[in-house]
Amino acid sequence: MSHRLLEGKKGIVLGVANKRSIAWAIAKAAHEAGAALAFTFQGEKLKEKVEDLLKGLPAPCPLYPCDVTSDEDLALVAESLRKDLGTIDFLVHSVAFADRADLEGSFLNTSRKGYHLAQDVSSYSLTALARMAAPLMPSGGSIITLTYLGSERAVKNYNVMGVAKAALESSVRYLAVDLGPRQIRVNALSAGPINTLAARGISGFTEILDVVAQRSPLQRNVEVEEVAHAAIFLLSPLSSGITGEVLYVDAGYHIVGI
Ligand code: 1JT
């Protein structure tokens, strides 16, 4: 399916939490497309989980600890990448966090602390990572991040994460301008709702899946593999003319009016 589109390319994937993670689907597809990969994990609890997943890949992959809110961690990741891979061609940012309490009820009640946390982890981290990664991409590269329609529509319960994703999508455009002269492209994939760890336990999530299946042009939800395939396109030279873009992989849901 992915036609070795990333043959000879090297990249880093942030945001693998378990086998259902969008980041893991992208990593598997990138591996099949011929890429050499490095990974990060956040916190000791996830270390073993990610290590176990990596055992399923034929090639051994470097794995680094990385809390994206820590500048020291980001500097260490850059140093390790330089040592282990030399240079890289792509970076996959599939990281977000908000307090559970801020993903239900009224957005109106979002605390300063909750707002700041969501922005720091889910939005600022892309800029910090792009700054860290750019010097490792001397012959250009591709940076992608994951977003959701709640950034531009008021989607019930998405709340503070919607505001963080709006900032993230805007960051994609500003970063695309800053990094364009170095032939580094920056794009976002806007995925339809997918049953991942992040989505589990979100009140009303099943209802959202049902609404998309009823109203989207394709009359169904998207599979995580479909998001991964679009990711390979954005990471590969097939998309060499595309930067600063938000590409929807949502069964067409976002284009529908009535
Ligand atoms: C986070 C979470 C980021 C869930 C996320 C997310 N991006 C998409 N989802 C799934 C989702 C969540 C809600 C939703 C629709 C989709 C949870 C942990 C923090 C980061 O509401 C309509 C709430």
Side-chain angles (χ1 to χ4, degrees), residues 23-108:
W24 182 239
I26 294 172
K28 282 189 294 181
H31 170 76
E32 275 174 37
L37 298 172
F39 293 84
T40 67
F41 66 91
Q42 198 268 308
E44 282 306 305
K45 242 166 60 185
L46 286 178
K47 183 179 183 183
E48 268 187 47
K49 195 121 224 161
V50 181
E51 273 174 348
D52 284 349
L53 285 174
L54 294 190
K55 282 179 197 149
L57 293 179
C61 299
L63 175 63
Y64 317 123
C66 182
D67 169 353
V68 295
T69 67
S70 158
D71 289 331
E72 295 80 54
D73 277 18
L74 297 188
L76 282 172
V77 169
E79 218 175 281
S80 308
L81 279 174
R82 174 83 65 196
K83 180 167 66 71
D84 296 337
L85 299 182
T87 59
I88 59 172
D89 303 284
F90 62 86
L91 181 146
V92 177
H93 174 275
S94 186
V95 179
F97 189 75
D99 282 331
R100 203 32 76 104
D102 289 327
L103 296 173
E104 52 192 37
S106 290
F107 171 69
L108 187 62

Side-chain angles (χ1 to χ4, degrees), residues 96-98 100 103 148 155-158 161 198-199 202 205 208:
F97 189 75
R100 203 32 76 104
L103 296 173
Y148 175 63
V155 176
K156 193 171 168 223
N157 291 335
Y158 203 61
M161 192 47 59
I202 300 275
F205 192 77
I208 289 167

